[in-house]
Amino acid sequence: MGEKYEKMKAIRDEVVALEGALADYRKQNNYHAVLGEGSHDAAIMFIGEAPGQNEAKTGRPFCGAAGRILDELLASIGVPRKDVYITNIVKDRPPGNRDPLPSEIELYAPYLDRQIEILKPKCIATLGRFSMEYIMRKFGLSFELEAISRAHGKLYEADVPWGKLKIAPQYHPAAAIYNQSLLETLKKDFQILKSI
Ligand code: URA
């Protein structure tokens, strides 16, 4: 199936075999780990926070209410969902959709790091503040880090082993579920991804 596929599968197998808080919670509820989906040749990688209940039930990222918003945003820039790669920092659902703990981000981030290394995207669009903070720090942009209310819609650039990486922080689509004006902001901010 190809080298990228094999490497992604190895990551999946390792996450599925994890033990500890969120992995135990997954097993107790017959949930799935949510590794990510999309094209392994994607130019743009979307990184959310953690799976919600729908995602944990199906094993697919962004397939519930937040996913419908993400689909609408992708459609608004004419990008088919299958052409991008969509994942989260944390691969197992936190109980009650609470924010991920720093220890959970620390545990799951190395798997995300490996996914980024496999995909070598041109652009990472972070969805929400957790992935924005993680990605900006990871790529040496801590000094540019500001609140998501200021950073959303901007485009940052980092030097990476495979060239230049653009980082496009976005509000989390879930925030726009009951907030039409935030949805408009997201649509406007997504325009920046068209050039990529
Ligand atoms: N919210 C996220 O951050 N990720 C998902 O996959 C679904 C909802």
Side-chain angles (χ1 to χ4, degrees):
M1 276 296 267
E3 197 188 338
K4 288 184 184 180
Y5 176 86
E6 291 302 330
K7 286 182 175 168
M8 284 290 192
K9 178 155 185 331
I11 297 173
R12 171 181 299 276
D13 292 345
E14 286 175 48
V15 170
V16 168
L18 281 175
E19 293 185 359
L22 293 188
D24 292 347
Y25 177 67
R26 176 211 326 138
K27 290 170 203 170
Q28 284 153 14
N29 288 281
N30 285 322
Y31 284 157
H32 297 275
V34 179
L35 273 293
E37 71 177 14
S39 167
H40 290 170
D41 298 313
I44 308 180
M45 187 174 184
F46 288 87
I47 305 177
E49 189 174 307
Q53 191 176 35
N54 286 300
E55 289 76 21
K57 280 186 173 164
T58 59
R60 295 185 53 222
F62 283 93
C63 66
R68 283 191 289 281
I69 303 268
L70 179 58
D71 290 347
E72 187 178 334
L73 292 164
L74 287 170
S76 77
I77 54 167
V79 173
R81 179 168 167 139
K82 66 169 178 42
D83 289 357
V84 300
Y85 193 84
I86 303 172
T87 186
N88 291 298
I89 310 188
V90 171
K91 312 298 191 195
D92 281 310
R93 181 190 181 212
N97 294 345
R98 63 157 170 74
D99 288 346
L101 302 174
S103 60
E104 291 163 351
I105 292 178
E106 204 177 311
L107 175 73
Y108 289 92
Y111 302 106
L112 174 66
D113 292 348
R114 282 162 60 191
Q115 291 178 308
I116 296 171
E117 178 57 35
I118 294 166
L119 294 179
K120 300 185 172 35
K122 284 198 175 71
C123 175
I124 291 179
T126 57
L127 303 172
R129 71 186 166 93
F130 290 96
S131 63
M132 173 186 80
E133 286 173 12
Y134 178 74
I135 291 296
M136 293 285 283
R137 289 206 177 95
K138 171 177 167 65
F139 289 105
L141 296 171
S142 314
F143 68 98
E144 299 228 50
L145 199 49
E146 43 188 356
I148 193 157
S149 56
R150 298 181 66 87
H152 75 94
K154 293 188 185 169
L155 200 57
Y156 299 86
E157 197 170 74
D159 289 314
V160 289
W162 59 96
K164 299 271 183 206
L165 173 70
K166 293 195 161 65
I167 299 171
Q170 306 290 332
Y171 278 120
H172 196 290
I177 295 173
Y178 299 111
N179 186 335
Q180 187 63 32
S181 82
L182 205 118
L183 180 60
E184 294 309 320
T185 303
L186 263 164
K187 279 192 179 151
K188 202 160 120 251
D189 292 346
F190 258 60
Q191 290 294 319
I192 216 163
L193 301 175
K194 254 186 164 170
S195 61
I196 302 151

